[in-house]
Coordinates of all heavy atoms in Angstrom, one line a residue:
V69 N -11.5 188.7 -8.7 CA -12.9 188.5 -8.4 C -13.3 189.2 -7.1 O -14.2 189.9 -7.0 CB -13.3 187.1 -8.4 CG1 -14.8 186.9 -8.0 CG2 -13.1 186.4 -9.7
D70 N -12.5 189.0 -6.0 CA -12.9 189.4 -4.7 C -12.1 190.6 -4.2 O -12.7 191.6 -3.9 CB -12.8 188.2 -3.7 CG -13.5 188.5 -2.4 OD1 -14.6 189.1 -2.4 OD2 -12.9 188.2 -1.4
R71 N -10.8 190.5 -4.0 CA -10.1 191.5 -3.3 C -8.9 191.9 -4.1 O -8.1 191.0 -4.5 CB -9.7 191.1 -1.9 CG -10.8 191.0 -0.9 CD -10.4 190.5 0.4 NE -9.8 189.2 0.3 CZ -8.7 188.8 1.1 NH1 -8.2 189.6 2.0 NH2 -8.2 187.6 1.0
T89 N -13.6 197.4 -12.0 CA -14.7 197.3 -11.1 C -15.0 195.9 -10.6 O -15.8 195.7 -9.8 CB -16.0 197.8 -11.8 OG1 -16.2 197.0 -13.0 CG2 -15.9 199.3 -12.2
T90 N -14.2 195.0 -11.2 CA -14.5 193.6 -10.8 C -14.2 193.2 -9.4 O -14.9 192.4 -8.8 CB -13.7 192.6 -11.8 OG1 -12.4 193.0 -11.9 CG2 -14.4 192.6 -13.1
P91 N -13.1 193.7 -8.7 CA -12.9 193.2 -7.4 C -14.0 193.8 -6.5 O -14.4 194.9 -6.5 CB -11.5 193.8 -7.0 CG -10.9 194.3 -8.2 CD -12.0 194.6 -9.2
H92 N -14.5 192.8 -5.7 CA -15.6 193.2 -4.7 C -15.0 194.3 -3.7 O -15.6 195.2 -3.3 CB -16.0 191.9 -3.9 CG -17.0 192.1 -2.9 ND1 -18.3 192.3 -3.1 CD2 -16.8 192.2 -1.5 CE1 -18.9 192.4 -2.0 NE2 -18.1 192.3 -1.0
S93 N -13.7 194.0 -3.3 CA -13.1 194.9 -2.3 C -11.8 195.5 -2.9 O -11.0 194.7 -3.5 CB -12.8 194.1 -1.1 OG -12.0 194.8 -0.1
L94 N -11.6 196.8 -2.7 CA -10.4 197.5 -3.3 C -9.7 198.2 -2.1 O -10.4 199.0 -1.4 CB -10.9 198.5 -4.3 CG -9.8 199.4 -4.9 CD1 -8.8 198.6 -5.7 CD2 -10.4 200.5 -5.7
L110 N -15.5 204.8 -9.2 CA -15.3 203.5 -8.5 C -16.6 202.8 -8.3 O -17.5 203.4 -7.7 CB -14.5 203.7 -7.2 CG -13.1 204.2 -7.3 CD1 -12.5 204.4 -6.0 CD2 -12.2 203.3 -8.2
K111 N -16.7 201.6 -8.6 CA -17.9 200.8 -8.4 C -17.7 199.6 -7.5 O -18.6 198.7 -7.4 CB -18.5 200.3 -9.8 CG -18.8 201.4 -10.8 CD -19.9 202.3 -10.2 CE -20.1 203.4 -11.2 NZ -20.8 204.6 -10.6
N112 N -16.6 199.5 -6.8 CA -16.3 198.4 -5.9 C -17.2 198.5 -4.7 O -17.7 199.5 -4.3 CB -14.9 198.4 -5.5 CG -14.0 198.6 -6.7 OD1 -13.8 199.7 -7.2 ND2 -13.5 197.5 -7.3
R113 N -17.5 197.3 -4.1 CA -18.5 197.3 -3.0 C -17.8 197.8 -1.7 O -18.4 198.3 -0.8 CB -19.0 195.9 -2.8 CG -20.0 195.5 -3.9 CD -20.5 194.1 -3.6 NE -21.4 193.7 -4.6 CZ -22.8 193.9 -4.5 NH1 -23.3 194.4 -3.4 NH2 -23.6 193.5 -5.5
K114 N -16.5 197.5 -1.5 CA -15.7 197.9 -0.4 C -14.5 198.7 -0.9 O -13.7 198.2 -1.7 CB -15.3 196.7 0.5 CG -16.5 196.0 1.1 CD -16.0 194.8 1.9 CE -17.2 194.1 2.5 NZ -16.8 192.9 3.3
I115 N -14.4 199.9 -0.4 CA -13.3 200.8 -0.9 C -12.5 201.3 0.3 O -13.1 201.9 1.2 CB -13.9 202.0 -1.7 CG1 -14.6 201.5 -2.9 CG2 -12.7 202.9 -2.2 CD1 -15.4 202.6 -3.6
S116 N -11.2 201.1 0.3 CA -10.3 201.7 1.3 C -9.2 202.4 0.6 O -8.4 201.8 -0.2 CB -9.7 200.6 2.2 OG -8.8 201.1 3.1
F130 N -19.2 213.4 -2.0 CA -19.3 212.0 -2.3 C -20.3 211.4 -1.3 O -21.2 210.6 -1.7 CB -18.0 211.4 -2.2 CG -18.0 209.9 -2.2 CD1 -18.1 209.2 -3.4 CD2 -17.9 209.1 -1.1 CE1 -18.1 207.8 -3.5 CE2 -18.0 207.8 -1.1 CZ -18.0 207.1 -2.3
L131 N -20.1 211.7 0.0 CA -21.0 211.0 1.0 C -22.5 211.5 0.8 O -23.4 210.7 1.0 CB -20.5 211.4 2.4 CG -19.1 210.8 2.8 CD1 -18.7 211.3 4.1 CD2 -19.2 209.3 2.8
W134 N -23.9 209.6 -2.0 CA -24.2 208.2 -1.6 C -25.4 208.1 -0.7 O -26.3 207.2 -0.9 CB -22.9 207.6 -1.0 CG -23.1 206.3 -0.4 CD1 -23.4 205.1 -1.1 CD2 -23.0 205.9 1.0 NE1 -23.5 204.0 -0.2 CE2 -23.2 204.5 1.1 CE3 -22.8 206.6 2.2 CZ2 -23.3 203.8 2.3 CZ3 -22.8 205.9 3.4 CH2 -23.0 204.5 3.4
M135 N -25.5 209.0 0.3 CA -26.6 209.0 1.2 C -27.9 209.3 0.5 O -29.0 208.8 0.9 CB -26.4 210.0 2.3 CG -25.3 209.5 3.3 SD -24.8 210.8 4.5 CE -26.3 211.0 5.4
R137 N -28.6 208.3 -2.4 CA -28.8 207.2 -3.3 C -28.7 207.7 -4.8 O -29.4 207.1 -5.7 CB -30.1 206.4 -3.1 CG -30.1 205.9 -1.7 CD -31.3 205.0 -1.3 NE -31.5 203.9 -2.3 CZ -30.8 202.7 -2.3 NH1 -29.9 202.5 -1.4 NH2 -31.2 201.8 -3.2
S139 N -25.5 207.8 -6.2 CA -24.4 207.0 -6.7 C -24.0 205.9 -5.7 O -24.5 205.9 -4.6 CB -23.2 208.0 -6.9 OG -22.7 208.4 -5.6
H140 N -23.2 205.0 -6.2 CA -22.6 204.0 -5.3 C -23.6 203.2 -4.6 O -23.5 202.9 -3.4 CB -21.5 204.6 -4.4 CG -20.4 205.1 -5.2 ND1 -20.4 206.4 -5.7 CD2 -19.2 204.6 -5.5 CE1 -19.3 206.6 -6.3 NE2 -18.5 205.6 -6.3
L141 N -24.7 202.8 -5.3 CA -25.7 202.0 -4.6 C -25.3 200.7 -4.0 O -25.9 200.2 -3.1 CB -26.9 201.8 -5.6 CG -27.5 203.1 -6.2 CD1 -28.6 202.7 -7.2 CD2 -28.0 204.0 -5.1
D142 N -24.3 200.1 -4.5 CA -23.8 198.8 -4.0 C -22.7 198.9 -3.0 O -22.1 197.9 -2.5 CB -23.2 198.0 -5.2 CG -24.3 197.5 -6.2 OD1 -25.5 197.4 -5.7 OD2 -24.1 197.4 -7.3
L143 N -22.3 200.2 -2.6 CA -21.2 200.4 -1.7 C -21.6 199.8 -0.3 O -22.7 200.2 0.2 CB -20.9 201.9 -1.6 CG -19.7 202.3 -0.7 CD1 -18.4 201.7 -1.3 CD2 -19.6 203.8 -0.6
E144 N -20.7 199.0 0.2 CA -21.0 198.3 1.6 C -20.1 199.0 2.6 O -20.5 199.1 3.8 CB -20.8 196.9 1.5 CG -21.7 196.1 0.6 CD -21.3 194.6 0.4 OE1 -20.4 194.2 1.1 OE2 -21.9 194.0 -0.4
A145 N -18.9 199.3 2.2 CA -18.0 199.9 3.2 C -17.0 200.9 2.5 O -16.7 200.7 1.4 CB -17.1 198.8 3.9
F146 N -16.7 201.9 3.2 CA -15.9 203.0 2.7 C -14.9 203.5 3.8 O -15.3 203.8 4.9 CB -16.7 204.1 2.2 CG -15.9 205.2 1.5 CD1 -15.4 205.1 0.3 CD2 -15.7 206.4 2.2 CE1 -14.7 206.1 -0.4 CE2 -15.0 207.4 1.6 CZ -14.5 207.3 0.3
D147 N -13.6 203.5 3.4 CA -12.6 203.9 4.4 C -11.6 204.9 3.7 O -11.1 204.5 2.6 CB -11.9 202.7 4.9 CG -10.7 203.0 5.8 OD1 -10.8 203.9 6.6 OD2 -9.7 202.3 5.7
M148 N -11.4 206.0 4.2 CA -10.4 206.9 3.6 C -9.7 207.8 4.7 O -10.3 208.2 5.7 CB -11.2 207.9 2.6 CG -10.2 208.9 1.9 SD -11.1 210.1 0.9 CE -11.7 209.0 -0.4
F176 N -30.7 198.3 13.0 CA -29.4 198.3 12.2 C -28.8 196.9 12.1 O -28.2 196.6 11.1 CB -28.4 199.2 12.9 CG -28.5 200.7 12.4 CD1 -29.1 201.7 13.3 CD2 -28.1 201.0 11.1 CE1 -29.2 202.9 12.8 CE2 -28.3 202.4 10.7 CZ -28.8 203.3 11.6

Side-chain angles (χ1 to χ4, degrees):
V69 177
D70 190 43
R71 293 180 296 145
T89 60
T90 50
H92 178 79
S93 176
L94 173 68
L110 293 178
K111 300 297 179 202
N112 313 82
R113 291 181 179 266
K114 296 180 180 179
I115 301 171
S116 176
F130 171 81
L131 292 173
W134 174 64
M135 289 172 65
R137 301 187 51 81
S139 69
H140 296 83
L141 301 179
D142 294 328
L143 186 64
E144 295 173 7
F146 183 75
D147 175 39
M148 181 184 289
F176 275 106

